[in-house]
Amino acid sequence: MKINKRKCRAYAVPDRKLSSANGILHAKQINYIVTAAVKTIAHHRTLVLYIYPREQAVRGDYKPLWTMFHTKDDFLALERKEDGSTVWRTASFDRLECSSYDFSSQCAFYSNLDTGCSDDFIRKQLGNGCRYLDEVRPNRLYNPCPACYSGIPGSNAAQTEAAGQNPFMGMIPRNFGFHYPLKPYYDGGNILMLVDDLGYDKGLPDNPIASWLYGADVHGNCIKGNVLFVCCTSDFDDYCGIARRDLSRLVAELRKLKQEIEGK
């Protein structure tokens, strides 16, 4: 689902004003201030982030430099130029400021309300009444060899024999994955899976693809319920959208895995 740019423009300027009395405006270690809102745009629930240059806000200019729109499937940012014109950008949050490798560490939410708004949006994407998130590393995105991250020695044949005793293997075709490693092109190691921390307690269904990426065929810890793939920001302190090049590769690989599982 592509974001409707025309509809989004109606929300490019927030209906909420910043207050000069808020101490975050005077925190010189912060370069950008972020506010958040959840809107229904073109019938889709959308997280809208407004990013203001702090020094600009101190001078009383409360127009955001970037307005970022996040849906379940996509994200876009509307950038305001000095002459008042605007341009659409496809960069993720962490790459809005091209000259800075640690952009996210220069940002701070305006209030706890904005932090909670963003967190609540993520939890609702997982569904099933998710209240607590957990981060899970999809090991096979970075290393196709289970022995390298599980600590279990042996060849692929030995891995297959050991995995045959694992209940997880009943979820997927025999020998699935051992002949089909994902390409380790995610060099930054910053793609994570967000899961419902209470998935086992809720009795959520097994997620065979996420479980295999996690390495459940080796260690037996399956993933329950939906997962949300996100990118870790450069300071590993927050989440943002996955860069489009990595996202297109990831989607292609996941579709192949899904087809192989459904073909068992």
Side-chain angles (χ1 to χ4, degrees):
M1 188 277 300
K2 291 187 177 181
I3 292 178
N4 188 317
K5 296 179 181 179
R6 184 176 62 84
K7 296 285 188 181
C8 285
R9 282 188 179 274
Y11 300 90
V13 178
D15 50 14
R16 171 183 168 200
K17 303 298 182 184
L18 303 184
S19 170
S20 60
N22 190 316
I24 197 69
L25 269 69
H26 309 284
K28 295 184 178 181
Q29 68 272 31
I30 298 299
N31 291 336
Y32 298 96
I33 298 170
V34 183
T35 64
V38 175
K39 305 288 186 180
T40 300
I41 304 176
H43 308 292
H44 294 280
R45 195 165 182 269
T46 305
L47 174 67
V48 187
L49 300 178
Y50 301 98
I51 302 102
Y52 309 80
R54 184 191 62 80
E55 292 184 354
Q56 173 184 298
V58 169
R59 297 194 299 267
D61 184 351
Y62 299 134
K63 293 180 180 178
L65 176 57
W66 296 288
T67 303
M68 192 151 204
F69 301 90
H70 277 268
T71 65
K72 181 179 69 172
D73 305 307
D74 202 3
F75 58 86
L76 277 176
L78 186 64
E79 179 175 283
R80 182 169 60 91
K81 300 293 187 178
E82 291 184 2
D83 61 2
S85 63
T86 57
V87 60
W88 287 102
R89 294 185 55 192
T90 58
S92 62
F93 180 88
D94 207 29
R95 294 174 172 83
L96 286 176
E97 176 56 80
C98 300
S99 62
S100 176
Y101 72 93
D102 60 346
F103 174 75
S104 60
S105 66
Q106 302 174 34
C107 302
F109 277 112
Y110 178 71
S111 68
N112 290 335
L113 177 66
D114 300 293
T115 305
C117 182
S118 177
D119 291 345
D120 182 64
F121 178 82
I122 293 175
R123 288 192 294 267
K124 287 188 176 179
Q125 298 309 306
L126 286 175
N128 300 306
C130 177
R131 295 181 59 192
Y132 304 102
L133 294 170
D134 195 11
E135 299 175 1
V136 176
R137 180 178 169 86
N139 293 302
R140 278 192 170 94
L141 291 185
Y142 307 104
N143 197 321
C145 176
C148 296
Y149 59 77
S150 67
I152 299 177
S155 64
N156 283 348
Q159 294 285 350
T160 303
E161 181 179 357
Q165 309 302 318
N166 191 316
F168 167 77
M169 295 306 290
M171 298 161 50
I172 59 176
R174 182 67 175 172
N175 292 334
F176 170 81
F178 295 104
H179 61 284
Y180 188 72
L182 290 184
K183 301 174 184 177
Y185 41 57
Y186 303 91
D187 298 329
N190 59 349
I191 292 180
L192 297 174
M193 296 186 296
L194 300 183
V195 303
D196 190 331
D197 194 39
L198 300 178
Y200 275 88
D201 295 336
K202 294 178 180 178
L204 297 181
D206 295 322
N207 188 322
I209 292 179
S211 297
W212 185 75
L213 291 176
Y214 183 38
D217 51 299
V218 177
H219 50 63
N221 298 316
C222 298
I223 301 298
K224 300 285 187 176
N226 299 326
V227 303
L228 185 63
F229 287 90
V230 298
C231 184
C232 229
T233 53
S234 56
D235 55 3
F236 293 93
D237 195 41
D238 214 335
Y239 312 125
C240 65
I242 301 173
R244 276 177 164 72
R245 184 180 66 175
D246 281 346
L247 181 60
S248 62
R249 291 173 174 174
L250 177 61
V251 169
E253 296 287 0
L254 293 179
R255 284 175 176 167
K256 292 177 183 178
L257 294 176
K258 183 174 182 294
Q259 290 173 356
E260 190 163 346
I261 286 179
E262 291 178 345
K264 68 176 180 177

